[in-house]
């Protein structure tokens, strides 16, 4: 039986996995906002707004991380 090896190692903790985690978190917070609004309860609109704000913060941070990573990559490429 042949063993399966990957030509390229998995991107654990790299930019692809960080982006996937950020998108999953955004999706979860947006779903939470809809669930809170649908179920109601005390201060449902405030809780939904907080969940949407958290999703926006996560997206903003992911964009900033991508920008910094790109700038660092370009700086390293220039030095080589």
């Amino acid at each position: 039986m042949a063993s399966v090896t990957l030509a390229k190692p998995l991107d654990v903790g790299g930019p692809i996995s960080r982006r996937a985690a950020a998108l999953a978190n955004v999706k979860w917070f947006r779903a939470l906002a809809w669930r809170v609004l649908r179920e109601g309860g005390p201060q449902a609109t405030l809780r939904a707004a907080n969940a949407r704000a958290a999703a926006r913060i996560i997206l903003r941070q992911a964009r900033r991380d991508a920008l910094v990573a790109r700038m660092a990559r370009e700086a390293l490429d220039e030095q080589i």
Side-chain angles (χ1 to χ4, degrees), residues 43-58:
Q43 297 182 340
T45 55
L46 178 63
R47 291 171 35 220
N50 285 340
R52 286 190 301 270
R56 283 191 299 272
I57 290 168
I58 291 169

Side-chain angles (χ1 to χ4, degrees), residues 45-74:
T45 55
L46 178 63
R47 291 171 35 220
N50 285 340
R52 286 190 301 270
R56 283 191 299 272
I57 290 168
I58 291 169
L59 282 176
R60 187 171 49 235
Q61 185 64 36
R63 286 184 188 115
R64 186 179 305 136
D65 288 346
L67 176 66
V68 169
R70 186 173 61 234
M71 290 170 54
R73 224 177 9 257
E74 289 173 357

Side-chain angles (χ1 to χ4, degrees), residues 6-60:
L6 295 174
K8 181 179 169 185
L10 295 176
D11 182 40
V12 176
I16 296 172
S17 64
R18 286 194 307 264
R19 178 181 173 159
L23 290 176
N25 288 337
V26 166
K27 183 178 178 182
W28 186 85
F29 275 114
R30 287 181 176 166
L32 176 66
W34 277 107
R35 188 171 57 242
V36 166
L37 285 176
R38 187 174 54 244
E39 293 174 358
Q43 297 182 340
T45 55
L46 178 63
R47 291 171 35 220
N50 285 340
R52 286 190 301 270
R56 283 191 299 272
I57 290 168
I58 291 169
L59 282 176
R60 187 171 49 235

